[in-house]
Amino acid sequence: MLMKPEQEEQIRRTVDNPKIQLAVYSATARLKEKREEAVASEALPEYQELRTQANRIKKHTLENLDVYLEEFEANVEAHGGKVIYARNGAEVADFILGLARERGVRMLVKSKSMTTEEIHLNQRLEHHHLEAVETDLGEYIIQLAHDRPYHIVAPAVHMTRQDVADVFEKNLADPRTEEPEKQAMIARRNLREKFLAAGIGISGANFLVADSGAVCIVENEGNARLTTTAPPIHIAVAGLEKMIPRARDLAVFLKLLGRSGTGQLLTVYTSFLSGPRRGREADGPGEFYVVLMDNGRTRLLADAEKRQSLYCIRCGACLNACPVYRKIGGHNYPGAYSGPIGAIITPQYEGIAKDPWLPFASSLCGACAEVCPVKIDIPKILLDLRKEVVEDRAVHGGGFVERKAFQMYGWLMRRPKLYAMAGRIAAKMARLPGAASIGPAAKWGSVREVTLPARKSFRDQWREREKSK
Amino acid sequence: MPARVSIFVTCIVDQVFPRVGMAMAEVLERAGYQVEFREDQTCCGQPAFNTGYREDARKVAGHFIRVFRDAEFIVVPSGSCASMITHHFFDLFPKGSSQYEETEYLAPRVIEFSRFLTEVAKVDDVGARFEGIVTYHDSCHALRELRIKEGPRRLLRKVRGLELREMSAAEECCGFGGTFSVKFPEVSGGMGRTKLDSILATGASTVVSIDSSCLMQLQGVFSRAGAPLKTMHLAEVLASR
Amino acid sequence: MTPREEIFDRVRKALGRKPGEKPAPVPEPRIRIPEIPPERRVALFAGRLEALGGKVYRAAGLAQVREIAAGILEGAAAVCSTDPLLEKAGIPGLTGVAGGFQDEPSLRAACALAPFGITGADYGLAETGTIVTRSASEARLISLLPPAHIAVLPLSRLLTGLDEFYTVLPKPADASSSTVFITGPSRSADIEMILVRGVHGPRVIHVIVVDEEHATNR
């Protein structure tokens, strides 16, 4: 069994839940459509050229990553900031906890970051009584609901305004409202206090810019700007792979990111931050740290083919394009990353044995690769991971029946006469009572009608036709 | 113009949809080709390849190469199987191996049926007649790996009596995906039902594609839903008179 | 090994590289600056920003900037940045406008209460309807905390787009710890994909484009 029965059951429940299906299908359809308009050749004639360039720049950066890490570090320090290296999530948390303790910080604010989601940073901090408040509207709702983000760019896409009203009513003092506008204003008021009181602001980074020692953060709400401006300390947490060589490379990436994610030419705010506030500057944090995290990334780096998984700029376009994501939603994917990119990244970070079903949860339709702004060949990586799962199971057990079946297939398909004979027998057996209730036929028949093999195969018909000529 | 073409009917057409193979042969003959069927052919290896069984896939692919190595043109009634041969055989054999080199020689000769008609035979009108409203389903591998989009539509538009209507989700996967369809039946079936909604909205009575596996999936979903829709391979429509 | 050493070690092993080994030549990004005459730039900029819910005004000179700003404020309180252009335009002299904040606590307190924040703009990007503010010249909170933002953009600083920006300023971090592109009012669609403005940042943005010829001649 690739999948635990409870996981299977959970997926079935999602597919059968009309409320979730409608919410996710319509939201992804909308994002998909906006992306298509934004990258259409009339709107952006150089789109394909930009994709190729983005791919090349990412490839180059990762192939020379040690050089860019050094350059980045030197430039951050030249601007008065500090770079911290963390091998895993625990080391990220340890650094933040240590600094908070030293500075007497009890509460910090966070802007949206998939990287901190990946390492369950909030739980780690809260375990040590350091309050971490999510400030992106969607993330705030998710945090109050004790839920997990559903989508890389739209974390609360599975919730209705009524759900949000319930969550706010339970957690906040404000009067209940089901109007999104008013709900957003409730969040604004409550979070404004947090921004102004927080001792540390934690952000992610969309890009780490080596020649500037800068982090680049894109967002729409202004919460990332507040997180990185209001508290006296700013800590950016980022995976090593977020590196790009030069600020001007952003001319390529920024044109792709907003368009691919939400169809925006640029998101409302793009912050380019390097170091703490300088001499004559009126505001901004007095301390600036960048935590560079490995957490499995260097393992991916070692595989020249699968390394491209690290090119991802987290636009979410592959989720919106993926018919599987649109059916099973975000929560059925283990780990922080859902959709096609999650299906290739999670097994590589955590090892293929943990959730061996993930690379198989795809019809290999290729819609993900088609929309990927950095041209990650997701289907190819899925196929490679499938191969690894099969090889792993051959050694560590599991999948015996399937393995034998494919061995038989490989044997039979090289013996045309036997294959023809087996076909004739199968066509008869498939018509026996009860045949539809075994194995793959039963699985097939659980959701759609079975098409029986023809009584007379093509080769038999062809032979007759040739004889009668 | 080559007078002679070899057909690789694929295992699914051979065993489940022989009428598609017969129709394809008929259309090719009508277009002036002598059609050859090599009896030693079986499968392209895709089921094993897509499920992660590279070794077994390699054996089957090797068999395909042996059967077809000297054929001038190999016409295939499937975008998916054609793409397996022309794209993924290269993933199976190491660069520099004799089979890799043979694939390099073979791949340009392996041509999906609709593409063969429009690009090699250069015919759009095969003299077919079919009464009805039809919508075309882009099979994923034909669309995204082989870049086949307009050809089949052009052929359909030339069919007398046929009205072609586009569905909104033409490029969305039907949910088949090989072993995916039985590993994740609920998801696969759900994808098929989404597709069904989009097809129903066109008012078409027949769905046409160039891949029998997609059509098997869609027909199964239609029948289970009690939807009065028919599926037909492009070859069947083009063979109609 | 420290985490730093270990990570560098892992990276180099994964890539088969030695410490100090030179990188391969880096591919150049596509930078192409379109030719758009100033007046068309303004129209393009205004079209983009207005589509996002922003408002764009054209001022022939600084006196007019002051007039337009006064018209927007209608006597409401505002915090004004120390940008010399604003001072030349006499913005700090308008009723209710407070400026010249040097220390952060008082700046923060003022921004938290004021309905308007007034800043200059270091650059504008016509293709996207963006203004660029840099912390070297503009306090960050003024364009962030108040619910409405007024920015004054000299026409000569209105660039075509990102490509020109990175050509004019290839190293934005050299002179400023923060460079922010602002493209329309703050927004979110996190609840049922319904667009809401002013979630954390300003819900309204007014940009006054001023012809600098007049500005400097004044």
Side-chain angles (χ1 to χ4, degrees):
Chain A
M1 291 294 266
L2 277 171
M3 200 179 231
K4 294 190 199 86
E6 58 267 29
Q7 280 172 317
E8 242 172 279
E9 178 52 32
Q10 195 56 47
I11 287 182
R12 187 174 304 125
R13 246 183 276 153
T14 311
V15 175
D16 291 342
N17 182 333
K19 190 185 111 179
I20 293 265
Q21 288 296 317
L22 180 67
V24 175
Y25 194 83
S26 51
T28 48
R30 179 105 187 274
L31 290 167
K32 212 164 108 105
E33 201 181 305
K34 287 174 136 187
R35 176 203 157 270
E36 276 160 22
E37 282 167 20
V39 303
S41 50
E42 315 84 67
L44 187 69
E46 65 269 33
Y47 172 57
Q48 293 301 342
E49 194 186 340
L50 290 170
R51 286 179 81 206
T52 305
Q53 285 208 328
N55 176 283
R56 278 199 203 127
I57 294 170
K58 278 286 183 182
K59 180 171 190 287
H60 165 87
T61 314
L62 288 174
E63 282 171 356
N64 301 278
L65 187 59
D66 54 332
V67 176
Y68 290 113
L69 285 170
E70 279 175 341
E71 189 185 349
F72 177 79
E73 183 180 19
N75 284 321
V76 168
E77 284 173 1
H79 292 136
K82 200 164 167 15
V83 174
I84 285 87
Y85 291 84
R87 285 170 290 206
N88 49 46
E91 289 185 354
V92 175
D94 285 349
F95 166 73
I96 295 167
L97 287 164
L99 190 69
R101 213 171 294 130
E102 250 173 64
R103 303 287 188 276
V105 173
R106 308 284 283 278
M107 190 264 291
L108 54 81
V109 284
K110 276 186 71 205
S111 60
K112 193 169 154 25
S113 148
M114 292 305 296
T115 310
T116 60
E117 201 67 50
E118 173 191 327
I119 57 171
H120 308 290
L121 181 65
N122 294 358
Q123 287 93 310
R124 290 178 196 267
L125 299 183
E126 270 150 29
H127 186 73
H128 291 88
H129 311 291
L130 180 58
E131 188 190 356
V133 181
E134 293 289 349
T135 59
D136 169 86
L137 178 57
E139 294 283 348
Y140 181 58
I141 296 166
I142 293 293
Q143 187 179 36
L144 289 179
H146 301 286
D147 204 346
R148 284 168 58 206
Y150 209 81
H151 187 290
I152 291 177
V153 299
V157 70
H158 59 304
M159 293 173 82
T160 61
R161 59 184 85 185
Q162 288 79 22
D163 296 334
V164 175
D166 292 344
V167 172
F168 280 8
E169 195 173 25
K170 207 173 139 196
N171 292 279
L172 305 171
D174 304 76
R176 182 186 174 92
T177 171
E178 292 186 0
E179 283 174 55
E181 172 105 14
K182 289 188 179 150
Q183 291 171 333
M185 290 313 124
I186 290 174
R188 177 183 169 110
R189 265 197 312 278
N190 282 282
L191 288 168
R192 187 54 72 89
E193 289 167 25
K194 300 283 184 186
F195 282 123
L196 297 176
I200 296 177
I202 295 185
S203 74
N206 293 87
F207 304 97
L208 303 166
V209 185
D211 77 346
S212 309
V215 298
C216 178
I217 303 167
V218 306
E219 52 142 355
N220 282 316
E221 296 178 2
N223 65 306
R225 281 190 72 198
L226 279 162
T227 300
T228 59
T229 299
I233 301 170
H234 171 205
I235 305 174
V237 180
L240 303 172
E241 82 283 9
K242 289 283 146 68
M243 196 68 71
I244 55 171
R246 301 151 301 202
R248 66 177 180 278
D249 296 322
L250 290 169
V252 172
F253 288 101
L254 292 177
K255 280 178 207 149
L256 290 167
L257 180 52
R259 285 177 169 92
S260 300
T262 51
Q264 291 173 278
L265 306 185
L266 272 181
T267 55
V268 175
Y269 301 113
T270 304
S271 298
F272 188 86
L273 307 168
S274 176
R277 73 196 267 198
R278 299 185 196 167
R280 287 177 46 250
E281 296 180 357
D283 53 9
E287 295 179 58
F288 176 90
Y289 302 91
V290 184
V291 183
L292 296 180
M293 182 180 81
D294 181 349
N295 208 38
R297 282 151 179 82
T298 47
R299 191 153 19 129
L300 262 90
L301 205 56
D303 185 316
E305 182 64 44
K306 294 207 289 300
R307 186 184 293 159
Q308 57 176 310
S309 317
L310 296 173
Y311 299 179
C312 177
I313 56 171
R314 310 278 187 263
C315 70
C318 63
L319 279 64
N320 305 327
C322 178
V324 174
Y325 173 85
R326 298 176 81 186
K327 277 288 150 205
I328 73 174
H331 285 170
N332 285 306
Y333 291 86
Y337 307 100
S338 53
I341 190 65
I344 64 168
I345 286 187
T346 306
Q348 296 188 79
Y349 284 174
E350 315 221 329
I352 42 161
K354 200 165 167 225
D355 286 289
W357 61 274
L358 261 182
F360 293 90
S362 162
S363 66
L364 300 174
C365 78
C368 47
E370 193 174 51
V371 300
C372 178
V374 292
K375 288 177 117 177
I376 302 172
D377 193 346
I378 297 175
K380 186 173 194 335
I381 296 169
L382 287 171
L383 282 165
D384 286 350
L385 290 169
R386 288 180 182 191
K387 180 192 92 159
E388 286 176 25
V389 170
V390 163
E391 286 168 357
D392 180 71
R393 281 150 68 90
V395 177
H396 296 106
F400 179 80
V401 174
E402 187 182 88
R403 187 159 61 251
K404 287 293 156 198
F406 274 106
Q407 270 170 14
M408 180 56 129
Y409 158 89
W411 184 85
L412 189 65
M413 291 297 167
R414 283 176 292 153
R415 289 164 178 79
K417 291 205 170 61
L418 281 176
Y419 154 83
M421 196 193 293
R424 280 176 215 118
I425 295 166
K428 289 205 175 71
M429 280 178 51
R431 290 178 166 77
L432 293 176
S437 61
I438 20 174
K443 291 258 184 195
W444 178 277
S446 66
V447 292
R448 72 227 118 175
E449 296 303 317
V450 175
T451 307
L452 292 176
R455 285 180 196 276
K456 201 176 275 177
S457 67
F458 177 84
R459 63 188 60 232
D460 289 348
Q461 292 188 30
W462 185 262
R463 194 173 301 127
E464 282 172 18
R465 193 188 101 139
E466 293 300 288
K467 265 189 210 148
S468 67
K469 259 188 185 169
Chain B
M1 187 159 124
R4 198 179 166 83
V5 295
S6 200
I7 54 174
F8 170 58
V9 297
T10 77
C11 58
I12 185 174
V13 163
D14 183 29
Q15 295 297 323
V16 188
F17 301 102
R19 59 174 194 272
V20 171
M22 298 305 275
M24 173 170 80
E26 207 178 310
V27 174
L28 290 170
E29 283 172 348
R30 230 185 269 159
Y33 293 89
Q34 196 188 338
V35 175
E36 150 198 283
F37 174 77
R38 301 189 175 192
E39 286 223 0
D40 280 349
Q41 64 180 264
T42 56
C43 179
C44 62
Q46 181 167 207
F49 178 74
N50 280 3
T51 317
Y53 294 88
R54 293 277 167 102
E55 196 44 51
D56 304 309
R58 211 173 345 260
K59 289 176 184 163
V60 179
H63 177 75
F64 179 93
I65 293 172
R66 277 194 297 281
V67 172
F68 286 103
R69 55 167 49 121
D70 61 337
E72 192 176 352
F73 276 105
I74 302 130
V75 184
V76 189
S78 160
S80 193
C81 304
S83 177
M84 173 69 202
I85 301 157
T86 58
H87 287 63
H88 299 299
F89 273 21
F90 293 106
D91 299 328
L92 282 174
F93 304 114
K95 231 180 183 146
S97 67
S98 65
Q99 280 160 315
Y100 189 94
E101 279 166 19
E102 283 193 280
T103 304
E104 281 181 324
Y105 174 80
L106 202 59
R109 283 153 231 284
V110 174
I111 302 174
E112 183 279 326
F113 168 65
S114 73
R115 172 164 282 173
F116 183 82
L117 289 178
T118 55
E119 293 178 23
V120 181
K122 299 201 189 301
V123 287
D124 286 350
D125 187 349
V126 295
R129 165 173 289 282
F130 181 88
E131 298 293 335
I133 303 169
V134 160
T135 189
Y136 178 76
H137 160 66
D138 285 287
S139 58
C140 297
H141 296 165
L143 177 72
R144 300 198 178 87
E145 291 182 352
L146 301 181
R147 306 266 152 219
I148 293 173
K149 171 99 183 151
E150 275 312 307
R153 289 175 168 81
R154 222 157 60 218
L155 289 159
L156 285 171
R157 280 195 204 98
K158 294 284 184 185
V159 175
R160 284 148 199 83
L162 183 151
E163 185 193 336
L164 181 63
R165 284 191 196 163
E166 285 295 327
M167 64 176 117
S168 59
E171 295 189 359
E172 266 173 47
C173 179
C174 67
F176 174 67
T179 46
F180 168 78
S181 63
V182 291
K183 281 187 196 287
F184 300 89
E186 286 78 21
V187 187
S188 168
M191 286 160 68
R193 288 193 296 277
T194 301
K195 196 84 197 185
L196 168 62
D197 293 340
S198 172
I199 292 164
L200 284 173
T202 63
S205 55
T206 308
V207 185
V208 174
S209 184
I210 54 175
D211 272 273
S212 296
S213 47
C214 304
L215 295 173
M216 181 169 78
Q217 157 84 354
L218 290 173
Q219 190 64 65
V221 169
F222 300 164
S223 303
R224 180 62 56 92
L229 286 167
K230 227 180 116 187
T231 55
M232 276 177 100
H233 191 282
L234 176 71
E236 295 177 272
V237 177
L238 297 185
S240 311
R241 301 201 110 162
Chain C
M1 264 199 286
T2 64
R4 183 187 186 280
E5 285 163 351
E6 192 172 332
I7 286 176
F8 271 95
D9 190 56
R10 287 180 189 173
V11 168
R12 289 193 176 112
K13 271 201 187 115
L15 299 171
R17 289 175 53 83
K18 284 188 269 312
E21 196 176 323
K22 289 258 177 303
V26 47
E28 270 305 310
R30 174 194 194 281
I31 302 274
R32 258 168 253 170
I33 303 167
E35 278 186 31
I36 310 175
E39 280 314 310
R40 285 236 337 266
R41 277 185 207 193
V42 177
L44 182 58
F45 174 80
R48 292 288 193 215
L49 186 51
E50 278 160 7
L52 297 169
K55 297 200 173 79
V56 179
Y57 310 77
R58 189 67 207 279
L62 289 176
Q64 212 182 339
V65 168
R66 188 182 149 102
E67 256 169 56
I68 293 168
I72 298 168
L73 291 172
E74 289 182 324
V79 178
C80 169
S81 83
T82 52
D83 190 316
L85 183 69
L86 300 180
E87 246 153 76
K88 269 203 271 175
I91 303 281
L94 289 169
T95 330
V97 176
F101 291 99
Q102 299 293 344
D103 68 312
E104 204 199 334
S106 55
L107 172 74
R108 192 188 270 246
C111 286
L113 293 170
F116 284 89
I118 309 173
T119 69
D122 291 73
Y123 298 98
L125 310 180
E127 287 176 326
T128 49
T130 303
I131 58 163
V132 183
T133 64
R134 313 183 64 214
S135 50
S137 34
E138 305 295 338
R140 307 178 207 201
L141 290 171
I142 301 176
S143 61
L144 190 53
L145 287 182
H149 176 203
I150 302 171
V152 181
L153 170 69
L155 179 60
S156 65
R157 294 293 187 114
L158 179 55
L159 311 177
T160 51
L162 284 172
D163 287 0
E164 189 172 4
F165 174 80
Y166 287 110
T167 307
V168 173
L169 206 67
K171 295 270 205 90
D174 280 355
S176 186
S177 70
S178 152
T179 301
V180 181
F181 298 163
I182 300 174
T183 310
S186 153
R187 60 192 265 174
S188 175
D190 275 351
I191 302 170
E192 289 191 10
M193 301 290 287
I194 293 164
L195 178 69
V196 176
R197 294 210 174 99
V199 184
H200 289 293
R203 60 182 302 143
V204 188
I205 179 166
H206 305 267
V207 179
I208 306 169
V209 182
V210 57
D211 196 321
E212 219 181 0
E213 223 68 66
H214 297 272
T216 41
N217 286 347
R218 190 170 175 259

